[in-house]
Amino acid sequence: MTNHLILFPLLLGIAIASAKKPDAQIIYHLSMPEPHTHYFHVSMELKGVAESTLRLKMPVWTPGSYLVREFSRNIPRLSAFAGDEPLTVAKTSKNEWEVALNGHSDLRVEYRVYAYEQSVRTSFLSDSRGYVNGASVFIYPDGMENQGGELKIHPFNKWRTISTGLQKVAGKRHTYRFANYDILIDSPILIGNQKVIKFKVDRTPHEIALYGEGNVDEKKLVDDVQKIVKTTGDIFGGFPYDRYLFLFLLLNGARGALEHLNSTTVQVDRWAFSDEKKYHSFLSTVAHEFFHTWNVKRIRPIALGPFDYTKENYTRDLWIAEGLTSYYDDLILLRSG
């Protein structure tokens, strides 16, 4: 009898848990029908929302670039719908909105993002390419940061290539999955007609997405990047990812780089590759950002994680996160030859 009494609450708990409403589903749509206007169009579908009011937030900063950027300033208007029914939206702060659901559990949020800052920490859209840093484009539902979902990309009709560290969804065109919001915004996206070069290091796939014209020697570039990857991987005893993507943007007089979980973006002057000093500096930057794959992306100051995207995050430990990485970037070039 005692055993039955112990077992009954357990079975009851299982039954209650199985009867719970499933977690809300999130699907983002990203399109760019008129890239010359510099506006990305974003639609976010939510299904199974239990609350009567939904709060939406926009990050004010992006991991790896520690200043407050106020990304919400690039969103002129936000609308929400349940089917064809408009829902009431109130902007409650510089980067927050509240949507009254009026008894609905499924809704669609629509907005545009102005993207015309050519940097690795923001987003850029023109008739030549689209570049997305997720923190500056994707709003998130408050309390659902750990919820997974899908991103469906609708490229401009003249563009054929999408490069991102996100995982493709089998059987769905231009559709990618993310395990949580952190993964979504830590996976930059390049959309255009860039060249993609694939190689393996210790059987692990790597890619270089090369955008822009310049005096780059592609064979030498791939060979040098492989050496950097191999040397850094040997320091840590292997790779913490299944696939890695280098986004190299060849632009006029450009500089800048930013690390991500399984990718990095590096902007470089398109004519730097025939100048030994400038090319060496570029390789040092590549080594620096790749070293961050471990130091910062997996080993980071406690103040920087879990991420609070709504305000500045203070730490005195960048001397380890950035300083130690800056020491190793040139050391890696020396060790790799």
Side-chain angles (χ1 to χ4, degrees):
M1 186 67 177
T2 304
N3 289 338
H4 290 294
L5 290 174
I6 294 173
L7 184 59
F8 178 73
L10 177 62
L11 293 175
L12 180 62
I14 293 173
I16 292 173
S18 63
K20 282 183 179 179
K21 199 168 188 177
D23 289 337
Q25 301 174 31
I26 305 174
I27 301 175
Y28 291 91
H29 293 262
L30 177 72
S31 59
M32 54 226 72
E34 299 177 305
H36 63 279
T37 67
H38 315 305
Y39 274 101
F40 283 110
H41 294 219
V42 183
S43 173
M44 178 175 59
E45 298 176 12
L46 291 168
K47 296 182 179 180
V49 179
E51 294 77 12
S52 59
T53 301
L54 180 69
R55 178 176 293 180
L56 303 172
K57 294 184 177 181
M58 186 75 176
V60 301
W61 69 291
T62 186
S65 182
Y66 306 105
L67 295 180
V68 168
R69 307 288 175 185
E70 307 294 18
F71 296 127
S72 59
R73 74 185 190 277
N74 292 319
I75 300 177
R77 184 181 178 185
L78 184 146
S79 303
F81 304 87
D84 294 329
E85 177 189 337
L87 299 176
T88 301
V89 178
K91 190 168 186 180
T92 56
S93 72
K94 64 181 181 180
N95 66 319
E96 295 185 11
W97 297 259
E98 284 189 355
V99 182
L101 298 184
N102 298 336
H104 297 284
S105 59
D106 300 349
L107 72 152
R108 182 180 74 260
V109 177
E110 296 181 353
Y111 59 94
R112 296 187 304 159
V113 182
Y114 185 73
Y116 199 53
E117 183 179 346
Q118 192 166 271
S119 80
V120 297
R121 60 184 178 264
T122 54
S123 296
F124 182 89
L125 180 64
S126 73
D127 55 8
S128 65
R129 73 188 183 282
Y131 176 79
V132 174
N133 181 312
S136 66
V137 170
F138 298 116
I139 285 173
Y140 64 93
D142 187 30
M144 300 184 193
E145 296 90 332
N146 293 321
Q147 180 66 33
E150 293 183 355
L151 168 64
K152 172 73 174 180
I153 300 176
H154 308 268
F156 179 55
N157 56 25
K158 294 183 179 180
W159 296 341
R160 300 288 176 264
T161 306
I162 299 172
S163 299
T164 179
L166 290 170
Q167 184 180 0
K168 288 184 178 179
V169 176
K172 294 185 179 181
R173 182 174 171 80
H174 300 328
T175 304
Y176 303 83
R177 67 166 50 94
F178 55 90
N180 52 51
Y181 184 72
D182 291 339
I183 299 295
L184 174 65
I185 70 166
D186 203 21
S187 304
I189 307 163
L190 180 61
I191 310 149
N193 294 315
Q194 64 271 16
K195 184 170 186 178
V196 177
I197 306 169
K198 299 182 179 182
F199 61 91
K200 290 185 178 182
V201 177
D202 295 340
R203 298 192 296 273
T204 300
H206 294 74
E207 295 179 18
I208 294 175
L210 197 61
Y211 167 83
E213 301 296 328
N215 57 2
V216 59
D217 181 335
E218 293 181 10
K219 186 177 183 304
K220 178 174 174 54
L221 174 65
V222 174
D223 183 58
D224 289 339
V225 172
Q226 282 182 302
K227 291 177 181 177
I228 290 171
V229 170
K230 172 64 175 172
T231 302
T232 311
D234 288 345
I235 292 174
F236 290 99
F239 303 119
Y241 50 77
D242 297 324
R243 179 177 68 95
Y244 192 92
L245 170 67
F246 294 93
L247 297 168
F248 293 155
L249 308 182
L250 279 57
L251 307 168
N252 289 327
R255 295 182 60 189
L258 192 64
E259 75 277 1
H260 299 279
L261 197 64
N262 66 339
S263 63
T264 187
T265 301
V266 181
Q267 292 186 166
V268 58
D269 188 305
R270 65 176 76 249
W271 308 118
F273 298 91
S274 60
D275 183 299
E276 184 176 354
K277 184 176 181 180
K278 290 181 179 178
Y279 181 60
H280 198 273
S281 177
F282 163 72
L283 291 180
S284 180
T285 299
V286 173
H288 182 102
E289 302 307 322
F290 189 64
F291 192 85
H292 272 321
T293 305
W294 292 266
N295 190 38
V296 169
K297 299 315 299 182
R298 271 96 182 162
I299 309 165
R300 64 170 177 253
I302 194 168
L304 300 182
F307 296 124
D308 184 345
Y309 298 108
T310 64
K311 63 182 181 180
E312 59 272 31
N313 294 257
Y314 294 100
T315 177
R316 296 179 181 270
D317 294 328
L318 291 187
W319 68 275
I320 299 175
E322 295 295 341
L324 189 63
T325 304
S326 292
Y327 169 77
Y328 266 95
D329 53 30
D330 282 333
L331 183 60
I332 288 167
L333 297 192
L334 178 66
R335 289 182 179 179
S336 67

